[in-house]
Amino acid sequence: MNEKLYLEDEENLGTQVDESYEQVYCKPGTLTDVPFHYCPGCGHSVVHKVLMEVIAELGIQEETIGVAPVGCSVFAYQYMNIDMQEAAHGRASAVATGVKRVLPDKYVFSYQGDGDLAAIGTAETIHTVNRGENILMLFINNGIYGMTGGQMAPTSLIGQVTSTSPYGREAAQVGNPIKIADMLCLLPGAYYVTRQIVHNPNGVRKLKKALIKAFEYQKQKKGTCFVEVVSNCPSGWKMTPVETIKYIEEKMLPMYPVGDLKVPQN
Amino acid sequence: MEKKEKRTGEAKLMKGNEAFAEAAIRADIDAYFGYPITPQSEVLEYLEREIPNRHGLVLQAESEVASINMVYGAAGAGARVMTSSSSPGISLMQEGISYIAAAQLPCLIANVVRGGPGLGTIQPSQGDYFQATKGGGHGDYHLIVLAPSSVQEMADFVFDGFRLAEKYRNPVMILSDGALGQMMEKVILPEEGSLPKTTPAWATTGKTKNREHNVITSLFIQPEEMEQVNLRLQEKYKAIQSEVRYEEIQTDDAEILLVAFGLSSRICQKTVDLAREKGIKVGLLRPITLYPYPYARLNELSSQVEFMLTVEMNAGQMVEDVRLAVEGKVPVHFIGRMGGMILSPEDILHKLESVHESHNAVNV
Ligand SMILES: Cc1ncc(C[n+]2csc(CCOP(=O)(O)OP(=O)(O)O)c2C)c(N)n1
Ligand code: SF4
Ligand SMILES: [Mg+2]
């Protein structure tokens, strides 16, 4: 394999690297050279890449500040080559509020898992959206606590076996999976709410479009844009990456259907 | 030791909380995030009233948890930022304060202390001394802690606080109490715009081409690295020791030393006068910085006085630091009241006299 295929700068895109290779792809300059620590097949990797591609394509690397959560993506700032802050568990949207309020002309996003955003950080989530903070909230719903070893999340499905629901999640005991994106739609501060996927190419393309829209709305100071990604956790789900695709399609998506939940009304 | 500086300017009659809030605007804060709680709600109310017509930003958050994390975000973005609350709210902020200390973000946090534990009372107390000076949240860290004893200092310490916070990249706490927050006194406010401000190079203001991306974090997963971070913090705390401040009243010839901070020190001043009228040579040492603490000066004074009496509005918290300071060289006694109750100068005098007598009795 030609090393150069990966390492070449963006400027060389489309040029002939040597007799046999033309460079048709490279990672965006908005990603650092640090290798992802994510498990093979994990959706976090794809979301990171798509998000950073969007920031590169929009040319807003210098104007974007990201807030990383506590969860598997806690080290997002090592990979994303933009200014970033690491928030306490659940507080990313409050931290992002602090950043955005003092830098109102910059682009600000928070990146959170389901435990972070929809359990410990529920109050911050609801009130950030209710204030209509001009930020992008990116929500990675993998239905489990990946980082801490596969415990039940607020979004885990009924019957889902996790290390803290070893007999399957029971609604009578711990409630039903929470559809937080649907809840947030009720708030006038939510300008754009959408649910996307990254386990197939079409889904990736649509996520990209959604993120571009979200940044454009942010520029226009329209309110909070909330993008949920129904993702996977091969390690926590105790599945191969390929098995997780089937699980997403057969189990997750009936509960969390893909598509726009709230679109701008003009 | 403190020298009283001469102030110029128009004197105003103001509540402690309002003087504090006005000083914040004059200190050119970029943002204040807070949540109502008695006895400090006037700070948020004052800022909500004034800031829209002046400069800066004020936001009522959904909780103290949100407030302190907004402070984290804004401070990380290079802003001059603060919050205030009272005891239960400050407890709720402790996780965020630990993160702020670890990420080395400058900011100002004011605790207008009320009686606890639990929901407690809205009356004044000094029961949060341990929490403020020994860490408060998890991990090995310290806040710089300033203890005002007048409305004037409620205003002045906003400026001193930001100066220290920005110099050391460390959170600063102003530890007052419900009485200082609520009482009205004459105050000469610090001059607007007299506190210079620069955007720090480490702030997350957007990565420019000529530098690496800036990251604000408190996560250092490798123990070797985490230890180094801790060692650097400890180095900083060592340097901060040079900022120790205290005030001495009639200590030159003192044979008995009262030690008290904040409101208690105000009461003790009266006790000093009452005792001296009776011919008892009493002096007072008032720590102004509770972290760093004036251990060295107290140790010096231990060779001069017969005993020390620590006076606090709690069950005896600072007294532990006084005992540490004197290393057993003189007896250290304590008198305090809790739950929002306040000692009178006479209560303190009475205690002082009875200790004095018992010491003499032993000496006979
Ligand atoms: C206050 C606090 N409580 C608990 C934890 C432990 N913890 C770390 S990550 C996490 C859950 C993360 O799950 P999720 O947000 O879904 O992210 P994922 O790893 O699945 O991407 C928990 C409980 C913590 N770091 N801080
Ligand atoms: S534990 Fe799950 S969420 Fe975390 S990196 Fe591995 S697969 Fe991804
Ligand atoms: Mg998760």
Side-chain angles (χ1 to χ4, degrees), chain A residues 94-155:
Chain A
V95 171
T97 297
V99 177
K100 185 71 183 188
R101 289 290 177 131
V102 297
L103 300 174
D105 297 325
K106 305 278 172 172
Y107 296 91
V108 176
F109 70 84
S110 56
Y111 183 112
Q112 298 177 266
D114 38 84
D116 200 80
L117 181 140
I120 195 166
T122 310
E124 285 79 7
T125 300
I126 289 175
H127 287 278
T128 301
V129 177
N130 194 46
R131 287 189 303 268
E133 294 293 340
N134 268 304
I135 63 169
L136 160 66
M137 293 176 72
L138 188 44
F139 170 44
I140 314 305
N141 177 6
N142 58 10
I144 203 152
Y145 286 10
M147 186 190 210
T148 37
Q151 294 84 7
M152 186 186 67
T155 48

Side-chain angles (χ1 to χ4, degrees), chain B residues 202-332:
Chain B
W202 46 259
T204 60
T205 49
K207 179 200 174 316
T208 50
K209 286 206 175 57
N210 52 7
R211 66 159 169 84
E212 297 282 293
H213 65 152
N214 283 341
V215 170
I216 301 297
T217 186
S218 65
L219 173 66
F220 307 97
I221 201 104
Q222 300 300 335
E224 293 81 4
E225 195 188 358
M226 189 73 247
E227 185 179 46
Q228 289 307 314
V229 170
N230 267 288
L231 288 171
R232 283 201 293 278
L233 283 179
Q234 294 304 319
E235 275 303 309
K236 179 168 85 171
Y237 301 144
K238 220 181 272 172
I240 285 172
Q241 299 309 311
S242 66
E243 304 287 350
V244 71
R245 282 171 67 183
Y246 50 91
E247 183 187 11
E248 291 184 33
I249 291 166
Q250 305 208 49
T251 50
D252 287 350
D253 62 344
E255 290 166 3
I256 295 167
L257 187 71
L258 294 174
V259 189
F261 71 94
L263 190 68
S264 298
S265 72
R266 289 283 288 271
I267 302 164
C268 284
Q269 285 188 30
K270 183 82 182 148
T271 308
V272 170
D273 294 341
L274 293 177
R276 293 224 167 223
E277 277 166 25
K278 288 184 146 190
I280 314 170
K281 287 184 179 164
V282 177
L284 167 67
L285 185 138
R286 166 174 84 100
I288 294 171
T289 53
L290 300 181
Y291 189 92
Y293 194 76
Y295 292 110
R297 182 57 187 148
L298 280 167
N299 191 287
E300 267 170 32
L301 285 168
S302 66
S303 51
Q304 176 189 322
V305 300
E306 181 192 329
F307 68 89
M308 295 186 186
L309 176 61
T310 306
V311 183
E312 298 175 69
M313 287 147 56
N314 58 37
Q317 299 191 14
M318 184 184 73
V319 65
E320 294 192 3
D321 282 318
V322 180
R323 291 197 174 118
L324 268 178
V326 305
E327 296 174 313
K329 286 194 240 166
V330 286
V332 176

